[in-house]
């Protein structure tokens, strides 16, 4: 981990060295409470996804306002979050390596742990590892619901796997993982609704088939920031897993708004400085190593007249009308195209309130953890 920024709480934001990952704390808190209130009013369980922020402090704040627990994608992320004091973590992914499963099981002495399965091999290895668990592991069957990634395709196979989980002593059948990741950035609401209608129908068929065998499905979980109002109104899901809502990014901002969703705002930015200036463009100190461009280039907060262009490793080009181009040393806030992999480039999130440093939080689970 990089050395903690040489800042003190209360320092003016102008002391932050660039490029840096900064958080507007007022907007972040508004986003946090808006989602919690949405879930409460709809009677939904909220289990936010920590792959967005990888930060135990943020996870604990989400749970403090009502989240039942946190999602993550890897055992290493789960370990970092539990080490940071998070007491309920669901790994929304398949894990087959015995050594990783053993590491996951060791976390049960400090937290409630859940995991997803889509194979008999995964079940056999998890069950073997779970014999050493301090508490039963919540185990979810993952169903393929349209994203064409992980999950069982045949309902009958998913039901058979659930029955096997139900018959084990060390595992607890906790429900169904039915996440449609590919739907999150379908631009039009009607497109997203069609995708989630399909996912909900698949999930409902699984629940009905298992109920017919006398087994209840405690939780049907899924949903992301782009679709959660649709899962919440489906009558099938009872838990949602949005992650990016705490930060938002440029790509989510390009989606047609859902009238049922709270109006989340951008709270996360890459703070950059102008390091060189020409007559027709400016150069900033935030290039490919400062933010992810897998979902396109960042927007420039508060400056619709400027565009980010042609990044290299350490440089980004800012274009716009000549009279509007920023001056040397002027600072800009970039709205990342995709917040999750951008956060993963940083060791620290610097939270700002009223243009002063309010907090500095470690990105506990950053990197390609196994």
């Amino acid at each position: 981990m990089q050395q903690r920024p040489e800042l003190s709480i209360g320092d003016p934001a102008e002391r932050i060295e660039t490029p840096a990952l900064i958080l507007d704390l007022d907007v972040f808190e508004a986003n946090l409470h808006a989602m919690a209130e949405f879930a409460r009013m709809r009677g939904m369980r909220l289990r936010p996804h920590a792959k967005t922020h990888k930060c135990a402090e943020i996870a604990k704040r989400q749970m403090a306002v009502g989240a039942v627990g946190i999602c993550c994608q890897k055992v290493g992320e789960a370990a970092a979050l539990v080490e940071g004091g998070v007491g309920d973590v669901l790994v929304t992914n398949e894990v087959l390596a015995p050594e990783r499963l053993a590491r996951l099981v060791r976390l049960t002495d400090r937290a409630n742990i859940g995991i997803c399965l889509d194979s008999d091999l995964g079940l056999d290895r998890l069950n073997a590892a779970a014999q050493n668990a301090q508490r039963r592991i919540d185990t979810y069957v993952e169903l393929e619901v349209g994203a064409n990634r992980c999950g069982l395709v045949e309902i009958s196979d998913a039901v058979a796997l659930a029955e096997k989980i139900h018959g084990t002593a060390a595992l607890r059948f906790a429900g169904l993982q039915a996440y449609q990741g590919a739907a999150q950035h379908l631009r039009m609401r009607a497109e997203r609704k069609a995708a989630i209608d399909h996912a909900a129908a698949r999930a409902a068929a699984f629940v009905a088939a298992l109920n017919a065998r006398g087994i209840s499905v405690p939780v049907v979980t899924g949903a992301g920031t782009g679709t959660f109002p649709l899962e919440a109104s489906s009558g099938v899901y009872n838990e949602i897993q949005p992650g990016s809502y705490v930060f938002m990014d440029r790509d989510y901002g390009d989606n047609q708004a859902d009238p049922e969703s709270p109006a989340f705002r951008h709270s996360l930015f890459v703070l950059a400085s102008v390091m060189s200036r020409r007559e027709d463009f400016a150069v900033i100190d935030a290039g490919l190593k400062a933010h992810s461009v897998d979902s396109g280039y960042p927007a420039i907060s508060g400056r619709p007249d400027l565009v980010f262009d042609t990044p290299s490793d350490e440089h980004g080009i800012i274009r716009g009308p000549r009279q509007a181009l920023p001056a040397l040393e002027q600072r800009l806030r970039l709205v990342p195209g995709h917040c999750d992999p951008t956060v993963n480039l940083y060791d620290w999130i610097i939270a700002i309130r009223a243009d002063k440093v309010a907090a500095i939080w470690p990105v506990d689970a950053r990197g390609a953890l196994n």
Side-chain angles (χ1 to χ4, degrees):
M1 178 175 281
Q2 296 170 348
Q3 183 177 352
R4 184 182 186 277
E6 295 182 357
L7 295 166
S8 299
I9 306 305
D11 278 351
E14 64 190 26
R15 282 206 57 214
I16 299 171
E17 295 185 12
T18 61
L21 192 66
I22 66 170
L23 182 68
D24 184 320
L25 201 52
D26 289 330
V27 176
F28 163 81
E29 290 172 348
N31 290 346
L32 195 75
H33 287 280
M35 183 63 82
E37 180 65 8
F38 174 92
R40 187 185 70 80
M41 293 297 293
R42 299 298 182 90
M44 301 293 291
R45 290 162 52 97
L46 174 62
R47 184 181 287 277
H49 217 303
K51 68 183 178 69
T52 296
H53 53 72
K54 292 174 169 276
C55 174
E57 178 61 33
I58 291 177
K60 289 186 288 187
R61 286 172 180 247
Q62 290 172 313
M63 292 183 69
V65 298
V68 299
I70 297 297
C71 297
C72 66
Q73 287 294 82
K74 295 186 175 183
V75 173
E77 290 177 348
L81 293 172
V82 171
E83 183 67 28
V86 179
D88 194 307
V89 179
L90 167 62
V91 179
T92 53
N93 211 348
E94 281 65 38
V95 179
L96 296 179
E99 61 275 14
R100 293 181 186 176
L101 289 169
R103 186 182 183 197
L104 185 71
V105 165
R106 288 195 292 272
L107 300 178
T108 61
D109 65 348
R110 288 173 288 169
N112 187 66
I113 297 297
I115 191 170
C116 295
L117 293 176
D118 70 356
S119 69
D120 286 343
L121 176 63
L123 172 57
D124 291 343
R125 289 187 174 176
L126 176 63
N127 191 42
Q131 303 308 309
N132 298 316
Q134 297 299 306
R135 65 186 89 181
R136 294 173 77 191
I137 294 177
D138 287 335
T139 307
Y140 296 75
V141 171
E142 181 161 13
L143 186 67
E144 204 292 301
V145 292
N148 291 316
R149 198 166 58 184
C150 296
L152 287 159
V153 173
E154 298 297 331
I155 299 292
S156 58
D157 291 340
V159 169
L161 186 60
E163 289 180 309
K164 292 173 185 176
I165 296 167
H166 189 68
T168 65
L171 308 178
R172 176 172 48 240
F173 174 61
L176 176 67
Q177 167 79 1
Y179 173 60
Q180 220 298 21
Q184 302 310 309
H185 293 284
L186 294 174
R187 293 302 177 212
M188 305 307 293
R189 182 184 183 276
E191 295 177 290
R192 300 196 298 274
K193 185 177 186 305
I196 299 308
D197 285 349
H198 171 76
R202 296 263 298 159
F206 170 86
V207 172
L210 208 54
N211 287 346
R213 288 160 174 77
I215 300 176
S216 64
V217 182
V219 175
V220 177
T221 186
T225 297
T227 65
F228 71 89
L230 299 168
E231 283 92 347
S233 63
S234 69
V236 180
Y237 292 77
N238 60 0
E239 182 176 277
I240 53 175
Q241 301 176 356
S244 298
Y245 74 94
V246 291
F247 295 152
M248 300 304 287
D249 53 33
R250 196 229 71 249
D251 200 14
Y252 270 118
D254 289 345
N255 279 0
Q256 182 188 48
D258 189 316
E260 299 299 317
S261 173
F264 302 111
R265 294 185 291 148
H266 301 302
S267 67
L268 185 81
F269 307 94
V270 172
L271 185 66
S273 299
V274 176
M275 60 194 300
S276 184
R277 171 71 192 269
R278 302 278 185 89
E279 285 190 6
D280 55 347
F281 65 86
V283 184
I284 58 172
D285 58 358
L288 296 171
K289 293 182 180 179
H291 48 84
S292 174
V293 298
D294 64 297
S295 295
Y297 292 159
I300 302 171
S301 180
R303 295 298 305 270
D305 55 333
L306 300 179
V307 296
F308 181 93
D309 193 20
T310 54
S312 53
D313 282 359
E314 308 291 355
H315 303 84
I317 303 300
I318 302 298
R319 302 190 189 278
R322 291 187 180 186
Q323 67 275 14
L325 288 173
L328 285 172
E329 294 194 309
Q330 185 172 337
R331 295 184 166 207
L332 300 173
R333 292 186 176 192
L334 309 183
V335 181
H338 189 181
C339 55
D340 300 22
T342 295
V343 171
N344 198 50
L345 297 171
Y346 291 85
D347 285 318
W348 303 92
I349 298 171
I350 303 172
I352 308 297
R353 199 191 306 273
D355 290 324
K356 293 187 177 180
V357 176
I360 302 174
W361 299 330
V363 183
D364 305 274
R366 73 156 294 200
L369 299 176
N370 57 25

